[in-house]
Amino acid sequence: MRSFFQSRFRPAVGRFAKAEDGTAIVLLGFSVFVLVGAAGLAFDAGRGYMLNARLSQAVDAAALAGGRSLSIGGGGDYKAIIKKYFKANLPDGYMGADVQEPTITLSTEGDEIEVFATATVPTTLMRVLGSKSMKIDARAVVHRAVKGMEVALVLDNSGSMSGSKMGDLKDSSKLLVDILYGDNETVEDLYVSLVPFSGRTNVKDQVEIHPTSPPNPDYVCLDMRSGTFAEDDTPPATSPFGHFSNGEYTHENDPGKYKSKVCPKAQVTPLIQPKTSVKSAIDAMQAKGCTRYDIGSVWGWRNISPEWRAVWSGSSASLPLDYEEADMEKAIIIMTDGANTPDCLQDVQTQEETEQAFARICADMKANGIVIYTITFKLDDPDTNTLFRECASGAERYFKSPSGDQLEAAFTAIANDLSTLRLSQ
């Protein structure tokens, strides 16, 4: 048996000792290890890149939201807002990462917010190289550069706005005011004007504008001026106004029809600062009458035009400021729920002529640097929707709002856009 083993086994052992085929197996194993590691590095690096992009986006959004909360009043919990926006953009467990709560730092001067966040993501194939996780971080710094603002709210008070539509408009516009002011009653260099319109606008108590005692001191609506003066911001001292006197709708002939068709109950509120006064003026709006959004818009322009400085009773004699005033913005928000109805007023202009006038007024305001936001509410008329979209300062500043919720979203978006911020890093 022993001789059999020796005769068969010893030659085999000798041949194995002399063979070189085993080197190839070792090299193959090492190559597989390297290839798996390289593939793992590429795969995990791609995952890390995606996480880093999402983390940066979350940090930027959170920092901007925190900066905005300070800019519009400063009374809210800006840290809670930052954390809320951060989580909304980077939820827990995203790509299996362990995301730490962001670190928030407010500068001593209160004009910069830094948001820093880290996330650790477990590796997959890179584990063969001994790396079990990757740590990623992102940082954003927001510098609050809030400009002063003069804002005119030009809001449709015509009869078609009755019922829930007027309630939605009041709630949405007051929400905009709350966002702009935060918890403050006044904000430095923020002035708001309200211009309710139907067939005309009510300039009650504005003694520098109407030339004589009005027929009804509570309903003071004026005739359109002739020529280009009907569409521009020329002050009344240069081109005077007359009281509305159009056929059967004159106050003297039928005060009921004058008040129900021509002149809105809510009066123009010139540029003022107190939040409660602006909201009270909004609450006073009532739906009735015909529609002339071109006339409402030009009165909105006059409320923020420097040509009308010291004309408006109830506003500061230094307002409106110059168009190019440093660190100041002029903005107007124009909202309607329907097309113009000049025939309802027995005006001489056709609907098409009033629409052309509106387009010219929009162009002239934009030429003077006024930022225009437009809103159509529950309106399916494609021509009016197009007209309002073209009036706005860019398509992103036009809002078609088929519902009350979307109207609220529109006013919220406008309020946020009015809060000027920039990423400094």
Side-chain angles (χ1 to χ4, degrees), residues 231 233 297 301 304 323-324 329-332 334 357-374 386-398:
E231 303 172 6
D233 63 340
S297 299
W301 180 12
I304 56 177
Y323 286 121
E324 302 300 327
E329 292 282 356
K330 291 179 184 285
I332 186 168
I334 309 168
F358 176 71
R360 289 190 294 267
I361 292 165
C362 292
D364 289 342
M365 287 193 290
K366 286 185 282 191
N368 282 289
I370 297 173
V371 179
I372 303 177
Y373 302 87
T374 57
T386 298
L387 189 64
F388 269 63
R389 184 177 64 250
E390 292 175 348
C391 172
S393 298
E396 73 281 2
R397 290 190 168 110
Y398 163 67

Side-chain angles (χ1 to χ4, degrees), residues 224-234 239 298 301-302 357 360-361 364:
M224 296 174 60
R225 299 183 295 192
S226 61
T228 59
F229 294 137
E231 303 172 6
D232 68 14
D233 63 340
T234 301
S239 178
V298 75
W301 180 12
R302 292 161 184 162
R360 289 190 294 267
I361 292 165
D364 289 342

